[in-house]
Amino acid sequence: DGTKMYIVDTGSSSGNVSSADGFISQYSLSTAWDLSTASYDSVSATVAVANNSGSTFSRDGTKFYVIGLNASSQARTLQYNLSTAWDLSTVSFSNNEFNHTSQDGSMVAIHINPDGDKMWMVGYDNDKVYQYSLSTDFDVSTASYDSVQFSLGSQTSVPYGFTFKDDGSQMYTIGLVNDGIFQYST
């Protein structure tokens, strides 16, 4: 509804966040969708991946997913549960994770459809979007690669973000090369 915002950051050696961890911080917007009204909620959660560059929430706000490198420098997607929707102070690790290294070791963005049975990730090692199926809705540990991929290389390389229109009919990507937002029909 535009009243909450979350920012993911990479790990650091300062404070209580180790170099093998990253964190996500929570903000409130007093006017929905207006960043100038954002204020920090003094709430953050540590996530067990560094170099985490992408995250997403389930539509109901009770789960969030983050991608990055774990303590062993393995590329992973981790799932966290929130006992109170959209409230990071209630977060706990679900022990559900997915290894996406065989497609791309540098995934930078993730999207899960509203039904929770499809997941897409974009990586900059190969400049592609990859599609996965989840046999249990919203559970990344049940993900399997659909052998479906889409190359972004004709438009941009080093992609670092993407999203879908709510009904899934459009996909939008952004990358470092060509400095543009690109729209695709699905």
Side-chain angles (χ1 to χ4, degrees), residues 15-33:
N16 62 356
V17 179
S18 76
S19 60
D21 293 331
F23 60 95
I24 181 169
S25 301
Q26 177 178 309
Y27 298 78
S28 290
L29 286 72
S30 56
T31 301
W33 305 108

Side-chain angles (χ1 to χ4, degrees), residues 27 86 129 148 171:
Y27 298 78
W86 307 109
V129 178
V148 174
M171 180 179 73

